[in-house]
Amino acid sequence: MAQVPQTFFDALAVRTWCGLALTALGRAREEIDAINVYPVADGDTGTNLYLTVESATTAVEAVFAGYEFGSGAGGASVGKPSLADASRAMAHGALIGARGNSGTILAQLLRGMAQVLSAQGEAPHTDGDGLRLALRQAADSARLAVAHPVEGTVLSVAAAAADAAGGAEGDCGTVARAAYRGACAALAATPGQLAVLERAGVVDAGGRGLVAVLAALVETFTGELPGLSGAMSASAGSPARVRPTGAESVADAQDCADAADGEGGPAFEVIYLLEAEDAAVARLRQRLDALGDSLVVVGGDGLWNVHVHVDDAGAAVEAGVEAGRPYRIRITHFGADDAHTRGGERPPRERVQRAVVAVVPGEGLAGLYTEAGATTVLARPGEPPASGELVEAVRRAHAREVVLLPNDADLRHTAAAAAEQARTEGIRVALIPTRSAVQGIAALAVHEPDRRFDEDVVSMTSAAGATRYAEVVVAERQSWTMAGICQAGDVLGLVDGDVAVIGSDVTATAESVLNRMLSAGGELVTLVLGDEAPEGVAEHLEARVRETHLAVDTVVYRGGRQGALLLIGVE
C-alpha cells in the first residue's frame, strides 16, 4: 500500500519520516553491514544506524503518546505536538541512542535539521524552503562535529544532498527528491574519493545508510519510495560492485583498511553521553583528538554524545570525567573475535549450548542476574531498550539456544521482534513473556541448561506464571485508576499491572499490597528494593510475613535505580 504523502513538514511528517526511515534501514541493515569497510571493517554500520533511528523514532512516538493520553476532561485529546516538539524529540532520541561512528554523525545530521525546524521565528519552516535550510544546516553541523572530516564518507553524501536541495524550487517533495538524487550521485562517487573503498569494491556504508534515510524522506512527502538501483554503484557510471560476504571478505576488507592506514587502528571504540558545558567540551575535543582517531562529538545545550577510537580506553573516559559527567559508557574492544583483528591469531570462540538473556530495571538486579549466569540488558527509568539492543545481547550471549526474558509487559512486542531477528541468524530463541523482574528471578531459579531446550522453557515459563507480581511507585500526575482517582505524589500499589491500592505512606501501602497477594496463598516472598525506598520497609514487611504467615519465606534484594520503590513477588 502506498504511503499517504504529507503536504508540509509538520509533527506528523516527522513521525512518518522516522517510521519509514526505520523500516528502510531494517531492510538494508545486513547489506550495509556487509559493505562496512571504513573507518573499521567491523560489519556493524547498518546495525548502528538502525539503532540510532530506532531511538529517535521511540522518542517521537513518546511525544505523540503524551498528547494522545493527556489529562483532558473526559479523556478528550489535549491537542497534538508541534513541529518543534517532534523535531526536538527526534534529535534528542537520536543523540542518546547513537551507536558507532556513522550513527553518531547521523544523530548530528538530525540535530542540525531540528535546529531549523524548531527555530522560533515569524514563519515556521514547514515548506520546501524550510527543508532546504534544514538539510544545509544538517550537513554543515555534522561536518563541524567530526574532528578530521574525510571525503568519500557520509559527510560527502550529506553535503551533496544539501547542495542539490539548495538548487531545487518547489514543495517538500520536490526538495526531498533533489536531495535524494544528489546523495545517490555522491554515494556512487565515494570509491573514487577514498582508496579503501576502491580496493574493497564498495561504496561508503554510512553514506548508503543516509541514502536510505533520504529515500524515506521522499516517501514521506510523495507517497512513493524511490528506487535504489543507482545508489549502490561503486563508481559513477559503472556496475554495482559489492564485496562478497563471509570470513574471507572480512579479512580482505581489513587488509584494505590496513593498507590505507599503514598499521592497524586503535584497539577500542569508546562512546558515552556527557553532561558538560561548551567550554569543557572544546577542551575535551583537543584531548581526545590527541588520544586517538575517528573522533566525533555531537550535541549541545549541555548534553553531548562522544565517540572516539583509542588505544587507552581509560584515558578517554577520564577525559570525559574531567569535562563533566559521562554516563552510558560503552567500550568495545576491536579484539580477536571481530573483524578489526588480523586473521589467524586464534580460532573463533565456540558457542555455548544455551543462555538466558534478560532485561533488568536496575544495576543491583543486573548483578544478581549476571551471577546466575544471564546476559543482561539494563532498562533505565524512562529508557526502555530497543529491539536492536536485545538482538545485540542475544548475539553477545554467543549461544545456540537462548531464553529471552523481557521482564516488562510493555516490552512484549519489542522482545518478539528481537527474537524473530535472532532466529533469522540461526539462533534458537524462546521468548518467555515475563512481566516483571521478580517473575524473571523465578524463571531463572529453575533454569537447567543441561535439560532439553523445550523442557527447560516449559519449566521456566511455569515458574514465571506461578509468580504474582506487584510494585510500589509514586504517582507523577493526577489520573483515574482501577482503585479510584490518584493525585500527583500519591503512593500506588500495583498488583499484576493494575493499581490496587492508593496511599500516602510507602510502608503502609506496601504492606497492604503484600497482604492482598498472600491472601491467595504463597510459599516465597521476593522483595526488590529501589534506591529511593524508605529505610526499614524491608524489615517491616519481613516481620509482618513472619507474624502472619509462618510457612512463608522472604528474600530481599537491592535493585538500585530501578524506577519503582519496591518490587514484590509471591510464588
Side-chain angles (χ1 to χ4, degrees):
M1 180 181 292
Q3 171 69 34
V4 178
Q6 301 298 310
T7 306
F8 297 102
F9 215 139
D10 57 8
L12 184 57
V14 173
R15 184 188 202 181
T16 302
W17 180 32
C18 286
L20 291 174
L22 186 63
T23 299
L25 287 171
R27 287 194 300 261
R29 182 185 63 80
E30 291 184 0
E31 170 196 329
I32 297 171
D33 282 347
I35 63 171
N36 177 196
V37 171
Y38 182 85
V40 175
D42 48 358
D44 64 357
T45 292
T47 299
N48 287 337
L49 290 170
Y50 179 88
L51 293 174
T52 301
V53 173
E54 186 177 46
S55 182
T57 302
T58 300
V60 172
E61 290 299 327
V63 168
F64 273 85
Y67 279 85
E68 291 169 2
F69 297 102
S71 54
S77 173
V78 293
K80 62 180 182 179
S82 66
L83 173 59
D85 292 333
S87 59
R88 287 184 188 129
M90 173 185 69
H92 181 74
L95 177 67
I96 65 174
R99 298 296 185 91
N101 188 70
S102 293
T104 308
I105 293 173
L106 178 60
Q108 188 67 6
L109 288 168
L110 296 180
R111 177 179 172 81
M113 292 191 71
Q115 288 173 331
V116 172
L117 298 175
S118 64
Q120 300 298 320
E122 295 182 3
H125 297 296
T126 61
D127 56 6
D129 290 340
L131 181 54
R132 280 198 298 272
L133 291 172
L135 290 168
R136 181 80 268 163
Q137 177 64 17
D140 292 346
S141 63
R143 186 168 288 268
L144 289 173
V146 178
H148 300 284
V150 175
E151 297 307 325
T153 65
V154 64
L155 296 176
S156 304
V157 177
D163 290 343
E169 296 291 339
D171 59 12
C172 288
T174 302
V175 173
R177 278 198 189 96
Y180 170 76
R181 290 169 183 155
C184 287
L187 179 64
T190 56
Q193 297 173 293
L194 201 54
V196 64
L197 301 180
E198 180 66 28
R199 290 191 186 96
V202 297
V203 294
D204 179 65
R208 171 66 181 89
L210 180 58
V211 164
V213 172
L214 290 173
L217 186 65
V218 174
E219 187 178 4
T220 298
F221 291 112
T222 68
E224 300 174 356
L225 180 64
L228 295 173
S229 58
M232 287 303 299
S233 297
S235 59
S238 68
R241 290 185 290 157
V242 179
R243 64 175 169 87
T245 59
E248 290 185 1
S249 68
V250 172
D252 291 344
Q254 190 57 53
D255 287 343
C256 291
D258 290 344
D261 296 339
E263 297 290 340
F268 297 96
E269 177 185 59
V270 179
I271 305 175
Y272 50 79
L273 293 179
L274 177 70
E275 293 178 356
E277 299 298 326
D278 290 3
V281 172
R283 293 191 296 271
L284 174 66
R285 289 178 192 268
Q286 294 179 348
R287 180 165 179 190
L288 292 179
D289 193 25
L291 287 174
D293 60 29
S294 298
L295 174 60
V296 185
V297 181
V298 304
D301 301 321
L303 180 62
W304 310 81
N305 191 307
V306 179
H307 170 280
V308 67
H309 293 175
V310 293
D311 282 319
D312 189 344
V317 175
E318 288 172 7
V321 173
E322 292 179 5
R325 187 178 79 88
Y327 60 103
R328 292 182 69 170
I329 301 167
R330 293 192 295 270
I331 299 174
T332 302
H333 180 221
F334 297 129
D337 291 333
D338 63 37
H340 195 72
T341 295
R342 293 163 180 78
E345 290 190 4
R346 79 169 185 233
R349 179 164 59 96
E350 180 68 20
R351 287 185 180 273
V352 299
Q353 182 60 31
R354 189 176 308 156
V356 176
V357 173
V359 180
V360 291
E363 294 88 346
L365 279 178
L368 175 67
Y369 272 76
T370 301
E371 288 177 6
T375 298
T376 61
V377 178
L378 190 60
R380 295 171 178 82
E383 297 180 18
S387 63
E389 292 178 81
L390 301 188
V391 174
E392 280 193 340
V394 171
R395 292 171 182 152
R396 195 167 69 246
H398 206 62
R400 298 183 183 89
E401 301 167 338
V402 171
V403 179
L404 182 56
L405 306 175
N407 290 341
D408 186 337
D410 292 336
L411 289 178
R412 179 182 58 182
H413 296 301
T414 299
E420 188 62 33
Q421 173 61 40
R423 291 181 188 118
T424 66
E425 300 177 10
I427 304 170
R428 189 179 185 187
V429 181
L431 171 61
I432 297 179
T434 48
R435 295 170 174 265
S436 170
V438 293
Q439 288 190 323
I441 291 172
L444 201 54
V446 299
H447 168 55
E448 291 186 14
D450 294 333
R451 269 193 303 219
R452 289 181 55 250
F453 186 61
D454 292 340
E455 292 177 357
D456 198 26
V457 171
V458 168
S459 178
M460 294 175 72
T461 302
S462 177
T467 303
R468 298 186 300 283
Y469 65 97
E471 60 181 322
V472 178
V473 300
V474 176
E476 296 180 355
R477 58 183 179 273
Q478 182 187 54
S479 182
W480 184 89
T481 75
M482 296 293 290
I485 297 176
C486 70
Q487 305 296 327
D490 282 349
V491 180
L492 307 180
L494 290 84
V495 178
D496 294 335
D498 292 323
V499 176
V501 180
I502 300 175
S504 58
D505 178 77
V506 174
T507 301
T509 302
E511 182 178 342
S512 179
V513 167
L514 187 54
N515 287 338
R516 284 175 178 248
M517 298 176 75
L518 287 172
S519 66
E523 299 176 355
L524 176 66
V525 171
T526 301
L527 304 176
V528 183
L529 299 175
D531 275 352
E532 298 182 3
E535 288 291 330
V537 62
E539 292 79 0
H540 177 82
L541 295 177
E542 283 186 281
R544 291 296 298 162
V545 171
R546 284 195 301 268
E547 292 171 5
T548 57
H549 300 83
L550 295 177
V552 178
D553 294 324
T554 304
V555 293
V556 180
Y557 303 110
R558 295 202 170 271
R561 294 174 295 173
Q562 62 184 21
L565 297 173
L566 178 67
L567 300 178
I568 304 174
V570 174
E571 53 184 296

